[in-house]
Each structure stands twice: as structure tokens, then as C-alpha cells.
């Protein structure tokens, strides 16, 4: 490697990033300038193909820190992705290819939307885990790429980073290389204001190989990357860097972290580096040629494709194109009491039996979530992933596993613990990741564990999230139909399942309308009220309707397995299932405020739960036939 050319390459990155932020008058110049030397050398080691960003055996590079966005777009342009200088000039502008933080699916070459700090590390662990499983399925000669992650001090201060890297060490993910941009600067100043841990010892304790280098020494960077590629452990490279390297007055200062450097500072820096100070966004042909990956990337991919046997190509095609229509779903006997977590267990196993790329696991709750895939082994050799008690890392890892290119992966925990993983669920929704969340113990029906374990606001919270589909099935059959819908959606979905048994409903003819989110389960002539409900409250609504009928109140029952899908239906469909001439009630053993979109009155939870048997709790909070009947009759009488 010519040191002179490497320096030109690194300085080109620095000034592209600085010009980008200056032009936008917004952004983070410090991290891209500090990482420019590492990025330049890493580029020499990276096997990617800009002509095909989905090449299966490409190296994955995850940028965990959003404050390195200027570096990301500079590299994508230099490598040959569809990011032009014109796009770079529109950094952080509306409808540009270069938004303030990189978004998967929006800009070619972005492997995943990392979002909040720390998530990218967990994403990288997820990619590496998926690659390790793929390697076990297809062979080391087929899958042998690396997963690289660039992270900073902020990423490692977030708890999710420890959760995820501990899993990486446990799984012995020797295909993972994390490069830590250790510049000791955060927004408030030096990291010693709030942080004094020994990162090296932390990672050594979780079975990482740790290398320490000067992050501005090209030879040292190269040697570390060569060593990392042959390691038998996951690797952390601690690279000591200077934030805003190359700047004149702001080098090494917190002021360079999240604000433009200023025109004069950039001019002086360019002069010092031998660049024309009057030229912005400059890339010399020599530098572009040194970075460009189009020719070598296509050559690498073609050679890889030629090396695959017909049998391997067939396996890959089957994994990449699952036939969800061939799944043989379980059947359930009318009238039987089956908890939806139990029916879900049978459904998960039916899917896994037909779809070879379907796998997943729980945050140490598989026996309670009922998520074990029977006789399918333990990850990374089998399909049961044991995440440990790490909800946030689990969800972020599974996001990446679903984007790896071969697998459909689910995660699971108690519904109340979805609080721990909401940032990852939000990223899944933002990025159209078909991540299936299995959340059991859905309401005060959890019982004796008490209010700390009883979800109240959670249904409303996730129903409010755009592009996130919450299924709360009323019984086993509705659960089956919900899965049929969710598997074909290019969005995340959650299955909120009961701990207690729910009677299998007799009338199955309407289940096909689950794709509409809600449907008319029972229709009565001369109905004067409509009752909407989901999950365990659907049977309560049916039984209450029978009691009301004896007193001259005729109720239509609308089951709402997916409120989010119901919101997408047009007015004509809503009027078909919700008679506008009826008074509309909704009943849900949770907050339920979203039902006011359609309902006149919502009978939900106005407080947290309590510790006691589920039947006692439903009685205490008004979810019995007698109490619901009395509330409806009183309201109906007063609002005739």
C-alpha cells in the first residue's frame, strides 16, 4: 500500500464529510474525520459488490454510530454505489438519498438502519450469528465472509452493546470484527466525565480477542485487520483516534462532534493537506479508482457463483423463496380450551416443519412462551436460539438476522417485557423488517405475578406505531389465520398470546377476514349495539351478548385480531361490520384508548393490575358477563 495514496484517500473522506456537514449546516464532522484512516484501510479488505448489494457472501459493514453518517455516504460514493456527488451535496435534505442517519432500503449499500446508539453492535452480532448458521447449513466454502462493525464510545456505553457482545463471545462468532473508534469524546466533553471502565478487560472477559492500535497508523490498521480475519474468536480492535483528525483548531475537541467546522477551518485544513481550498466535494480520479469496488466486486461474486454446486444453489433458492402456502397448519376442536400461547406453539412448529429457514428463540422464556421448535436442535447448529435474558439485544439481533438474506426469524418474551426492546421493534417497523415478535402473558390474566408483570398500556403503545402489526387472536383458529396473514407481510408483526385457556370458537366461516384486521363474528337481526373486542375478551363479548339479548338488547360482535389492519380498511368495509345505527362498545383488559376511533364507550383498564388469580382479577376489574352486561345496559338506557 502506498502511504501517499492512502493519505489522499483518507483526506478525501475527511473533506467530503466536512463539506457535507458544512453545506447542510447540520451534522457530525468529527467522527468521519477521525475514522477516515481506518475506513481507507478497511476498504482494501472489504469484499462487496456495488453492482449487487444483495450478494449473499459479501462482507457486511455496520456503522453503529449515526454520527459517522458523513463517512457512510462518502464511502458508498467512492465504492461505486448509487450515491453521486450530487446526492452527497443534498445531505440531510428532504427526499434525498442521504438522510441525516442512514436508512435501510432508502439508500443502496446500507445493510441496516441502526438508529439509537448501541443497536448497530447488536445488529452486527445478528448478522454474524446468521452467517454462522448459514455456514453450518451450506458449508464453510460457501459462506466465509466477515461482519465488520464500526462503533464509538457512545455505543459501548449503551447496555445493549454488552448484551449483544456477550452473546457473540458465547457463540464464538469468529466472523465478527468490531472496530472501536476510541476518541474519548462525547457531546458533553471527555468520556471521563461519566465513564471509566476498562473496555479491553470487559471484552476479554466475554471471550473476545482484543487488539489495540493507533487508529491513524495505516500499517498498524492493516496488520490488525489481517490478524482479525484469522482469529478463532470474535475480535475487538481498539483504535485510539483523534476526533476531527486533520482539522486545525477543532481537532480533538467536543465542539467538532455535532456541528459544522466552519468555512475557514475547512479551508485551512485543506491547505495543510495539500488540497485546493476553493474546491468542495472533490474526488480525484486516482482516489476514486483506488476505492472503486465495481470491477473487483463483480469478479468476486461471479467466481463465488461459479463455485456453487447445483445442490447448494437449490438450497439457497429454497431458503430465499419460502413457500408459505405449503404449510400444513394444526387444527383445533370446537369448544376446547386452548391458550393461544399453546396454539401458537403448534403453529410455530408447523411453520418450521415446512419452511427450512424459519427459526427463532426466546429471552430465556421458551417453556413459558411455548416457542421451542421440537427436535430441531440448538443454535447455531439447530433452529432454537437461546438468547438469554437480553430482550433488547435479542430483538436487534433478530432484525439483522431477518435481513441476512436467507431466514425468517422470530423472537419471544413476556408482553410486559416488550418495554425492554421497543427501540428495536421501532427500527423493524421503520425498515420493513418481517420480524415476528411472540409476546405471551397478554393481560391481567397473568394473575399472581402481579402488576409488574401485567401489560396494561402495551397494546395501545404498539398499535400506535406505524407499520407495526399487532395480532391478538381470540382463539386457536384465529391464531392460525393471523399467521397466514403475517407471514406474507413485509413488515414486523407481534403475536400477543394468552396464558389462560381460551375456548375454540365454533363459527369458523369468518376467519378469512382476519386480513382486514376485524370482522363481524356474530350478527343479530335488529341489532341495536355493537361490541368490539380482541383476544380473551371476544368470548366475554359473545357471552355478554347472549345475556343482553334476554333483556331486549341485540348485539353484533366484531372480533379485532389486528387493530392496525382494521385502520387500513376503507369506510365501506367499516360500515359493513360496524352498523352506524348501533351504539358501539369496545371491551379490552388493557388501556384500549385506540378503540375510541370506532367506539362510543371503551370498557378497559383505568389502572394497573393486581396480584391474584386470573378469574378474581377479571371480576375485580369488571371483565365478567354480569358486570359488563350491567355497564352496557346502564349506558344503553341513558343513550337511547
Amino acid at each position: 500500500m502506498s502511504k501517499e495514496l492512502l493519505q489522499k484517500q483518507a483526506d478525501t473522506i475527511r473533506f467530503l464529510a466536512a463539506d457535507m456537514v458544512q453545506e447542510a449546516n447540520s451534522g457530525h464532522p468529527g467522527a468521519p474525520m477521525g475514522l477516515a484512516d481506518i475506513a481507507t484501510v478497511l476498504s482494501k479488505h472489504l469484499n462487496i459488490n456495488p453492482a449487487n448489494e444483495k450478494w449473499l457472501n459479501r462482507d457486511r459493514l455496520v456503522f453503529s454510530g449515526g454520527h459517522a453518517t458523513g463517512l457512510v455516504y462518502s464511502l458508498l460514493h467512492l465504492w461505486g454505489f448509487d450515491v453521486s456527488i450530487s446526492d452527497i451535496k443534498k445531505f440531510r435534505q428532504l427526499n434525498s438519498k442521504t438522510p441525516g442517519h442512514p436508512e435501510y432500503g432508502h439508500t443502496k449499500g446500507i445493510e441496516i438502519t441502526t438508529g439509537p446508539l448501541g443497536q448497530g453492535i447488536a445488529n452486527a452480532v445478528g448478522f454474524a450469528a446468521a452467517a454462522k448458521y448459514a455456514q453450518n447449513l451450506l458449508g464453510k466454502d460457501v459462506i466465509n465472509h466477515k461482519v465488520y462493525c464500526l462503533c464509538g464510545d457512545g455505543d459501548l456505553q449503551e447496555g445493549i452493546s454488552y448484551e449483544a457482545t456477550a452473546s457473540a463471545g458465547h457463540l464464538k462468532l469468529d466472523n465478527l470484527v468490531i472496530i472501536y473508534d476510541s476518541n474519548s469524546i462525547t457531546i458533553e466533553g471527555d468520556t471521563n466525565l461519566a465513564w471509566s471502565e476498562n473496555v479491553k478487560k470487559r471484552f476479554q472477559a466475554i471471550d473476545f480477542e482484543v487488539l489495540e492500535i493507533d487508529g491513524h497508523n495505516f500499517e498498524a490498521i492493516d496488520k490488525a485487520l489481517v490478524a482479525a480475519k484469522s482469529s478463532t474468536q470474535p475480535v475487538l480492535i481498539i483504535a485510539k483516534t483523534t476526533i476531527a483528525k486533520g482539522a486545525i483548531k477543532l481537532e480533538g475537541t467536543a465542539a467538532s462532534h455535532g456541528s459544522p467546522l466552519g468555512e475557514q477551518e475547512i479551508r485551512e485544513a485543506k491547505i495543510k493537506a495539500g488540497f485546493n481550498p476553493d474546491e468542495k466535494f472533490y474526488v480525484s480520479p486516482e482516489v476514486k479508482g483506488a476505492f472503486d469496488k465495481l470491477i473487483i466486486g463483480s469478479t468476486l461474486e461471479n467466481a463465488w457463483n461459479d463455485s456453487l454446486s447445483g445442490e447448494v444453489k437449490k438450497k439457497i433458492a429454497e431458503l430465499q423463496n419460502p413457500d408459505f402456502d405449503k404449510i400444513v397448519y394444526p387444527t383445533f376442536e370446537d369448544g376446547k380450551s386452548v391458550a393461544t400461547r399453546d396454539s401458537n406453539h403448534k403453529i410455530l412448529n408447523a411453520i418450521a416443519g415446512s419452511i427450512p429457514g424459519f427459526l427463532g428463540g426466546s429471552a430465556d422464556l421458551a417453556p413459558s412462551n411455548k416457542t421451542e421448535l421440537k427436535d430441531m436442535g440448538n443454535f447455531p447448529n439447530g433452529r432454537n436460539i437461546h438468547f438469554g435474558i437480553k430482550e433488547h439485544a435479542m430483538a436487534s439481533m433478530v432484525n439483522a438476522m431477518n435481513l441476512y438474506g436467507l431466514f425468517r426469524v422470530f423472537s419471544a418474551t413476556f408482553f410486559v417485557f416488550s418495554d425492554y426492546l421497543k427501540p428495536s421493534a421501532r427500527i423493524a417497523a421503520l425498515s420493513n423488517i418481517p420480524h415476528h415478535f411472540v409476546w405471551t402473558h397478554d393481560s391481567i390474566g397473568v394473575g399472581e405475578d402481579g402488576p409488574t408483570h401485567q401489560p396494561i398500556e402495551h397494546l395501545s403503545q404498539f398499535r400506535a406505531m406505524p407499520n407495526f402489526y399487532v395480532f391478538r387472536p381470540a382463539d386457536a383458529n384465529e391464531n392460525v389465520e393471523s399467521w397466514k396473514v403475517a407471514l406474507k407481510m413485509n413488515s414486523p408483526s407481534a403475536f400477543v398470546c394468552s396464558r389462560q385457556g381460551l375456548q375454540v370458537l365454533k363459527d369458523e366461516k369468518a376467519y378469512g377476514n382476519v386480513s382486514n384486521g376485524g370482522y363481524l363474528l356474530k350478527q343479530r337481526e335488529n341489532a341495536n349495539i355493537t361490541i368490539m373486542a380482541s383476544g380473551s375478551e371476544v368470548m366475554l363479548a359473545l357471552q355478554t351478548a347472549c345475556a343482553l339479548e334476554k333483556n331486549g338488547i341485540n348485539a353484533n360482535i366484531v372480533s379485532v385480531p389486528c387493530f392496525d389492519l382494521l385502520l387500513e380498511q376503507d369506510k365501506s368495509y367499516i360500515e359493513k361490520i360496524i352498523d352506524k345505527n348501533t351504539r358501539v362498545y369496545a371491551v379490552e383488559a388493557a388501556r384500549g384508548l385506540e378503540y375510541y376511533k370506532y367506539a362510543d364507550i371503551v370498557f378497559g383498564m383505568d389502572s394497573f393490575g393486581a396480584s391474584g388469580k386470573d378469574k378474581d382479577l377479571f371480576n375485580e376489574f369488571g371483565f365478567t358477563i354480569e358486570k359488563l352486561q350491567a355497564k352496557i345496559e346502564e349506558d344503553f338506557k341513558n343513550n337511547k
Side-chain angles (χ1 to χ4, degrees), residues 96-339:
S96 74
K97 290 181 184 176
T98 50
H101 286 75
E103 299 174 26
Y104 170 79
H106 183 86
T107 309
K108 287 188 178 296
I110 302 300
E111 294 287 358
I112 194 165
T113 302
T114 53
L117 286 174
Q119 287 233 15
I121 293 178
N123 295 151
V125 173
F127 279 132
K132 185 61 67 175
Y133 182 61
Q135 190 177 75
N136 291 338
L137 280 180
L138 302 172
K140 292 183 178 180
D141 55 333
V142 177
I143 302 295
N144 48 36
H145 66 83
K146 291 290 184 180
V147 177
Y148 297 94
C149 177
L150 289 170
C151 73
D153 297 295
D155 294 291
L156 293 182
Q157 289 182 47
E158 292 285 0
I160 186 175
S161 69
Y162 176 71
E163 291 182 23
T165 52
S167 290
H170 175 74
L171 292 169
K172 304 184 189 307
L173 299 181
D174 57 0
N175 53 356
L176 175 66
V177 181
I178 299 175
I179 303 169
Y180 166 32
D181 175 28
S182 179
N183 61 32
S184 301
I185 293 291
T186 58
I187 292 174
E188 293 184 356
D190 196 289
T191 52
N192 64 20
L193 289 170
W195 199 41
S196 55
E197 83 177 42
N198 189 317
V199 172
K200 179 179 180 178
K201 288 183 178 179
R202 183 223 279 195
F203 276 82
Q204 287 175 331
I206 55 175
D207 294 328
F208 269 66
E209 180 177 351
V210 180
L211 307 173
E212 294 183 279
I213 61 170
D214 174 354
H216 301 301
N217 183 310
F218 295 123
E219 186 177 355
I221 298 165
D222 185 61
K223 285 183 178 179
L225 289 171
V226 170
K229 288 197 286 189
S230 61
S231 179
T232 57
Q233 299 169 269
V235 174
L236 175 73
I237 299 174
I238 300 176
K240 292 301 296 181
T241 61
T242 302
I243 194 169
K245 179 71 173 176
I248 304 303
K249 297 175 183 176
L250 297 178
E251 180 179 290
T253 68
S256 69
H257 174 87
S259 300
L261 297 180
E263 295 284 1
Q264 188 60 33
E265 180 83 357
I266 296 173
R267 281 184 62 84
E268 292 179 17
K270 286 180 179 178
I271 291 170
K272 182 180 178 182
F275 279 57
N276 183 345
D278 296 318
E279 193 156 16
K280 296 182 179 180
F281 303 101
Y282 177 69
V283 179
S284 72
E286 181 186 26
V287 165
K288 185 69 170 72
F291 272 113
D292 199 282
K293 291 282 186 179
L294 279 168
I295 295 175
I296 191 171
S298 296
T299 302
L300 287 169
E301 181 178 359
N302 289 336
W304 180 78
N305 285 330
D306 291 344
S307 73
L308 301 180
S309 68
E311 182 182 355
V312 167
K313 287 180 179 178
K314 184 179 178 181
K315 281 184 180 179
I316 291 173
E318 187 178 11
L319 289 166
Q320 290 180 329
N321 302 285
D323 183 1
F324 296 121
D325 291 328
K326 72 178 183 180
I327 299 168
V328 180
Y329 288 97
T331 57
F332 301 92
E333 186 179 341
D334 293 350
K336 287 285 187 180
S337 179
V338 182

Side-chain angles (χ1 to χ4, degrees), residues 469-489:
Y469 296 86
V470 181
F471 292 88
R472 187 176 182 235
D475 74 338
N477 288 322
E478 203 175 79
N479 202 0
V480 169
E481 297 303 321
S482 295
W483 271 101
K484 289 179 182 178
V485 174
L487 284 170
K488 295 184 178 181
M489 296 172 68

Side-chain angles (χ1 to χ4, degrees), residues 55-76:
W55 173 33
L56 184 59
N57 199 41
R58 70 190 182 279
D59 290 331
R60 271 65 167 182
L61 176 56
V62 178
F63 299 86
S64 189
H67 48 268
T69 302
L71 174 71
V72 179
Y73 297 140
S74 298
L75 287 171
L76 291 179

Side-chain angles (χ1 to χ4, degrees), residues 17-29 89 91-93 258-263:
D19 286 342
M20 219 182 296
V21 174
Q22 193 66 38
E23 183 82 5
N25 196 29
S26 173
H28 306 78
K89 289 179 178 178
F91 179 50
R92 289 187 164 232
Q93 304 309 302
S259 300
L261 297 180
E263 295 284 1

Side-chain angles (χ1 to χ4, degrees), residues 108 115 150 226 335 369 417 450 528 539 557:
K108 287 188 178 296
L150 289 170
V226 170
N369 296 146
F417 298 154
N528 36 32
M539 178 55 71
I557 305 300

Side-chain angles (χ1 to χ4, degrees), residues 273-529:
F275 279 57
N276 183 345
D278 296 318
E279 193 156 16
K280 296 182 179 180
F281 303 101
Y282 177 69
V283 179
S284 72
E286 181 186 26
V287 165
K288 185 69 170 72
F291 272 113
D292 199 282
K293 291 282 186 179
L294 279 168
I295 295 175
I296 191 171
S298 296
T299 302
L300 287 169
E301 181 178 359
N302 289 336
W304 180 78
N305 285 330
D306 291 344
S307 73
L308 301 180
S309 68
E311 182 182 355
V312 167
K313 287 180 179 178
K314 184 179 178 181
K315 281 184 180 179
I316 291 173
E318 187 178 11
L319 289 166
Q320 290 180 329
N321 302 285
D323 183 1
F324 296 121
D325 291 328
K326 72 178 183 180
I327 299 168
V328 180
Y329 288 97
T331 57
F332 301 92
E333 186 179 341
D334 293 350
K336 287 285 187 180
S337 179
V338 182
T340 44
R341 66 169 175 168
D342 290 320
S343 61
N344 209 59
H345 181 226
K346 292 183 178 180
I347 294 166
L348 290 174
N349 277 272
I351 298 169
S354 298
I355 307 299
F358 187 79
L359 63 155
S362 170
D364 195 53
L365 287 170
S368 296
N369 296 146
K370 303 297 180 74
T371 52
E372 181 189 2
L373 302 178
K374 292 183 178 179
D375 303 319
M376 292 193 178
N378 293 325
F379 190 85
N381 296 303
R383 292 202 245 170
N384 288 290
I385 308 172
H386 298 279
F387 290 102
I389 308 158
K390 306 167 186 172
E391 292 86 358
H392 194 180
M394 169 184 70
S396 192
M397 287 169 63
V398 171
N399 278 348
M401 295 177 81
N402 275 296
L403 292 184
Y404 182 75
L406 292 175
F407 310 119
R408 183 66 68 92
V409 191
F410 68 87
S411 66
T413 187
F414 287 166
F415 191 24
V416 76
F417 298 154
S418 62
D419 286 335
Y420 284 123
L421 55 78
K422 184 175 179 289
S424 299
R426 188 175 187 273
I427 292 295
L430 182 68
S431 306
N432 293 306
I433 300 174
H435 180 162
H436 303 299
F437 296 85
V438 175
W439 294 331
T440 68
H441 297 58
D442 69 334
S443 71
I444 57 173
V446 172
E448 293 89 340
D449 278 340
T452 61
H453 283 55
Q454 293 165 10
I456 300 299
E457 73 280 13
H458 299 70
L459 279 168
S460 297
Q461 171 179 276
F462 284 100
R463 285 170 176 163
M465 187 182 292
N467 198 42
F468 192 94
Y469 296 86
V470 181
F471 292 88
R472 187 176 182 235
D475 74 338
N477 288 322
E478 203 175 79
N479 202 0
V480 169
E481 297 303 321
S482 295
W483 271 101
K484 289 179 182 178
V485 174
L487 284 170
K488 295 184 178 181
M489 296 172 68
N490 192 35
S491 301
S493 56
F495 288 83
V496 180
C497 300
S498 72
R499 177 195 186 196
Q500 73 276 24
L502 303 182
Q503 185 177 326
V504 177
L505 304 177
K506 293 181 180 180
D507 188 356
E508 298 180 21
K509 66 179 182 295
Y511 285 142
N513 290 328
V514 166
S515 61
N516 293 324
Y519 59 91
L520 195 55
L521 180 63
K522 287 291 183 183
Q523 185 173 20
R524 286 172 168 80
E525 290 186 14
N526 303 316
N528 36 32
I529 70 167

